[in-house]
Amino acid sequence: MGCGHKDDKASLASSQIVSFSHQPHQPPSTPASKEVWKKGGRMFSILLAVHLALLACTLVSSGAFEKIAVHDYDVFFLLTVMMLIVIIWTIFYLFGTSRCPDAILCKDSHAGPIWLRGGLILFAIFSLVMDVFKIGYYSSFYSCLSAIKIIYPIVQAIFVVVQTYFLWISAKDCVHVHLNVTRCGLMLTLTTNLAVWMSAVTDESVHKAHSKLKKNVTEEIFRWLMKAGMRSSSAEECNCNSQICQIFKNGYFWLYPFNIEYSLFASAMVYVMWKNVGRFIDHHSHHIHHLKFRLFRRTFFVGIVLGLIILVSGLGVLILYEVQVNSSTESSKKSQALTMYYIFNIVCLGLMSLVCIGGSVIYRFDKRDMDRHKNPTRTLDVALLMGAALGQYAISYYSIVAIVASTPRDAISALNLTYALLMIAQHTFQNIFIIEGLHRQPPKEDHKHNSHQKDLYGLTFVNINAVSLRVPDSGSTLAPSTASGTEAIHPSDFVRSLTVPKKMNWRRKFLREISMFLLLSNIILWIMPAFGARPQFDNDTELNFYGDSMWPAIVDICLPFGIFYRMHAVASLLEVYIMS
């Protein structure tokens, strides 16, 4: 497969555009005349992704139940094959496609920001540790397991390393050769990440269900229930009696949330790359803002301090909740833990809602222009925020219906109802604040009036009355100089020039405080459900109303989207903080 002339006439179009772009004083043509017709290639890659995603979803969901003749090693075999194909294509892209002449004519400055790639690397490190724990766990009794159970985490570790390197150096690429192959490869990568995500979510849900079931029933009844319905991992049929085996087993289940977030982060970045295949960026209208991340500059530390208080308090609530609910069978301690959990979340969600409303009010007085340029990254951020919030909306509305329709109502039910209502309000107000912040232009006064303000700031300690001595007694301004063509400065204009930037900084400081507080609060609201604090399974109101089958299914489907919403909100709020 050649680099120059083999893929839907991309090289001919790109070479013509490059030759035209070097002509002086030529106005940029419209994007419609620049970009290659690409709907055919996109449609084929989308169809490929849809079929693979449906196949993976079918196998993963079928493998969750014992009565269906689909085992977990069948799922692992499919995921292993998909990851190997993605690894091969990624190597081909890095050493073939990206090195072709005129392969990458431009880069999308908005795609793959440093904080998103940094988060990807952080989750990749924890995913690699999880794979090491998996390998150690399955190697403890490899004689009674299928070989694919050990091969799968090894291939997954290689996949994480290769994909992380690929996204770190290529997230901003706008490829113009091998268009159809690149689109299909990116869609296969996206589908593989989503399949790994579905498998991890299913394994984690089954593991938590088994843990709660073991706590409430005897070992004989548990084995009978496993034969009757839910899948038990084939590893559980082998003996894991050694202490090191138990450490490996518990360790990789605790690291599952990081692997889940890694798959979703990678999927989002791959989707933006897929949108940028064959894209031409007009640098006359595509503004590139070089923003510097200064965490402790121009801030009052109020948002950081309050956010850290919420974060530390939430960690304490999480530890107490785990001890009293998951490690104790007494109903009184369970009620105390649920009351403590709901009160903390009600206070946290109430503060976050008020802060988001305040931020939206400040935006009403913000003089910055709206950024209306084409930006696939921002479009995806908005879509993910709105879509992922639907998971928590669904859980909240199901809880509201169950609480209102159920009798009798106790204090925990009242707290649960307040918690559900505030969860809906907080998601709504936070989405409005984040989306409005993402559509704002970065501040321009720092560089727009830089030369003029330097002269004015140099006169900060000069007596303002000394300036008025140069003004005629009639009160009129000085006549413009005919020699230099400069205008005279009236004292009122001078004072206004000194005060306007300071007023703008006040708004920006408040927006930074709000963004940092929301960022830290979303971190703890991600940590709590991701690491076991899930009152939806511990509160009997919804379980009694919807039944033991329907309600866990609703939570298992919707809760992963709610958890992902929190982490995606953290990334978006960090961008809003830097843009403020």
Side-chain angles (χ1 to χ4, degrees):
M1 183 177 294
C3 294
H5 308 281
K6 295 288 181 87
D7 204 332
D8 60 11
K9 302 180 181 179
S11 299
L12 179 60
S14 61
S15 61
Q16 290 175 352
I17 291 163
V18 171
S19 62
F20 291 156
S21 63
H22 291 290
Q23 296 178 4
H25 306 293
Q26 176 138 0
S29 58
T30 60
S33 62
K34 279 187 174 183
E35 297 200 7
V36 181
W37 178 257
K38 53 192 176 184
K39 289 190 176 179
R42 281 189 173 182
M43 183 59 66
F44 180 78
S45 62
I46 290 174
L47 290 174
L48 174 65
V50 168
H51 286 291
L52 285 176
L54 290 176
L55 175 61
C57 183
T58 303
L59 281 178
V60 170
S61 59
S62 299
F65 296 93
E66 186 72 22
K67 290 184 178 180
I68 302 176
V70 176
H71 301 281
D72 51 359
Y73 49 80
D74 297 324
V75 178
F76 290 152
F77 178 78
L78 174 65
L79 296 180
T80 302
V81 172
M82 293 175 67
M83 287 189 291
L84 287 174
I85 296 175
V86 171
I87 292 171
I88 294 172
W89 173 80
T90 304
I91 295 173
F92 169 76
Y93 177 89
L94 293 174
F95 296 99
T97 301
S98 62
R99 297 189 179 184
C100 290
D102 298 329
I104 303 171
L105 299 177
C106 53
K107 289 180 177 288
D108 184 1
S109 61
H110 299 287
I114 185 64
W115 54 88
L116 187 60
R117 288 181 290 165
L120 185 75
I121 289 180
L122 177 65
F123 291 133
I125 293 172
F126 284 106
S127 297
L128 291 175
V129 176
M130 184 200 72
D131 289 327
V132 172
F133 279 19
K134 271 189 174 182
I135 295 170
Y137 172 59
Y138 291 132
S139 299
S140 301
F141 36 80
Y142 65 91
S143 58
C144 64
L145 289 177
S146 174
I148 194 65
K149 303 277 285 189
I150 302 177
I151 295 174
Y152 172 74
I154 296 175
V155 174
Q156 188 179 23
I158 299 173
F159 171 75
V160 168
V161 172
V162 173
Q163 180 177 244
T164 304
Y165 175 76
F166 163 69
L167 292 176
W168 179 264
I169 67 172
S170 305
K172 299 178 181 292
D173 291 355
C174 298
V175 184
H176 292 89
V177 298
H178 302 161
L179 298 186
N180 291 334
V181 174
T182 304
R183 289 192 184 104
C184 292
L186 289 171
M187 269 298 164
L188 177 61
T189 306
L190 190 150
T191 307
T192 302
N193 280 286
L194 291 180
V196 172
W197 169 74
M198 286 187 289
S199 176
V201 170
T202 303
D203 285 345
E204 186 188 29
S205 299
V206 171
H207 173 73
K208 289 185 179 298
H210 288 177
S211 299
K212 289 186 177 296
L213 201 58
K214 280 183 177 180
K215 185 181 70 173
N216 296 326
V217 300
T218 61
E219 186 68 23
E220 291 77 10
I221 298 177
F222 174 76
R223 292 181 179 276
W224 178 83
L225 289 173
M226 290 301 101
K227 292 181 180 180
M230 296 185 65
R231 181 193 76 182
S232 67
S233 176
S234 55
E236 294 182 1
E237 299 174 0
C238 305
N239 293 323
C240 181
N241 299 323
S242 62
Q243 186 176 3
I244 187 67
C245 179
Q246 290 294 331
I247 292 175
F248 283 141
K249 180 181 179 181
N250 296 327
Y252 86 79
F253 274 114
W254 274 99
L255 292 172
Y256 255 135
F258 297 101
N259 181 248
I260 291 171
E261 297 300 329
Y262 172 83
S263 299
L264 294 176
F265 266 54
S267 300
M269 296 178 69
V270 169
Y271 173 79
V272 174
M273 285 190 66
W274 178 79
K275 290 285 290 184
N276 284 330
V277 173
R279 181 187 176 197
F280 292 94
I281 298 177
D282 188 357
H283 292 284
H284 295 278
S285 60
H286 189 76
H287 301 284
I288 301 177
H289 305 286
H290 299 284
L291 300 175
K292 295 182 179 180
F293 180 56
R294 298 183 177 95
L295 181 61
F296 300 112
R297 186 176 178 181
R298 296 178 180 177
T299 180
F300 298 119
F301 297 97
V302 177
I304 297 176
V305 171
L306 289 178
L308 288 176
I309 292 174
I310 293 292
L311 181 61
V312 174
S313 302
L315 290 175
V317 171
L318 174 63
I319 294 172
L320 292 175
Y321 186 92
E322 286 290 326
V323 171
Q324 294 187 3
V325 173
N326 296 333
S327 302
S328 177
T329 57
E330 297 181 13
S331 59
S332 60
K333 290 186 176 181
K334 178 180 177 181
S335 300
Q336 292 176 1
L338 286 172
T339 302
M340 175 184 60
Y341 178 90
Y342 284 131
I343 290 175
F344 170 79
N345 278 269
I346 287 170
V347 173
C348 181
L349 294 172
L351 288 175
M352 293 173 71
S353 301
L354 292 175
V355 165
C356 289
I357 294 173
S360 299
V361 172
I362 293 176
Y363 276 131
R364 303 281 74 80
F365 300 96
D366 197 353
K367 304 300 181 183
R368 287 181 292 167
D369 297 331
M370 301 294 290
D371 188 359
R372 306 183 188 278
H373 297 98
K374 182 179 179 181
N375 188 343
T377 304
R378 183 177 59 209
T379 303
L380 178 63
D381 287 339
V382 174
L384 290 177
L385 283 172
M386 301 297 291
L390 295 177
Q392 192 60 57
Y393 283 154
I395 295 177
S396 298
Y397 281 117
Y398 274 108
S399 296
I400 291 171
V401 172
I403 295 168
V404 173
S406 298
T407 54
R409 302 183 183 91
D410 52 5
I412 293 181
S413 298
L415 292 173
N416 192 8
L417 179 61
T418 307
Y419 167 75
L421 292 173
L422 281 176
M423 187 68 75
I424 295 173
Q426 190 273 328
H427 278 71
T428 303
F429 294 136
Q430 182 170 268
N431 282 347
I432 294 173
F433 173 77
I434 293 176
I435 292 172
E436 193 161 6
L438 292 176
H439 283 81
R440 294 283 177 172
Q441 291 275 13
K444 296 180 180 180
E445 68 272 6
D446 289 340
H447 55 83
K448 186 175 182 180
H449 304 289
N450 194 24
S451 60
H452 178 62
Q453 289 176 357
K454 280 182 180 179
D455 298 334
L456 295 179
Y457 292 152
L459 299 174
T460 303
F461 298 102
V462 178
N463 191 353
I464 302 299
N465 293 326
V467 181
S468 64
L469 295 176
R470 303 180 59 183
V471 183
D473 296 335
S474 60
S476 62
T477 58
L478 294 174
S481 174
T482 57
S484 60
T486 58
E487 296 181 358
I489 301 175
H490 194 275
S492 61
D493 297 334
F494 176 77
V495 176
R496 185 162 51 249
S497 299
L498 287 174
T499 56
V500 167
K502 200 166 186 178
K503 289 181 180 178
M504 293 298 294
N505 286 335
W506 275 88
R507 298 192 191 101
R508 291 171 57 187
K509 286 179 180 179
F510 277 116
L511 290 175
R512 282 171 172 258
E513 300 292 340
I514 291 171
S515 301
M516 186 53 62
F517 172 76
L518 292 175
L519 187 151
L520 294 172
S521 299
N522 276 280
I523 289 177
I524 188 59
L525 292 181
W526 170 76
I527 291 176
M528 295 182 79
F531 291 93
R534 300 182 179 182
Q536 297 87 0
F537 292 113
D538 301 314
N539 196 341
D540 296 332
T541 303
E542 291 91 339
L543 283 173
N544 295 333
F545 186 81
Y546 292 109
D548 295 338
S549 299
M550 181 179 176
W551 179 241
I554 293 171
V555 176
D556 287 338
I557 293 172
C558 298
L559 189 60
F561 293 97
I563 295 174
F564 170 70
Y565 171 85
R566 293 299 177 186
M567 187 49 61
H568 188 70
V570 169
S572 300
L573 285 166
L574 185 58
E575 185 172 359
V576 172
Y577 176 88
I578 297 175
M579 296 283 284
S580 298

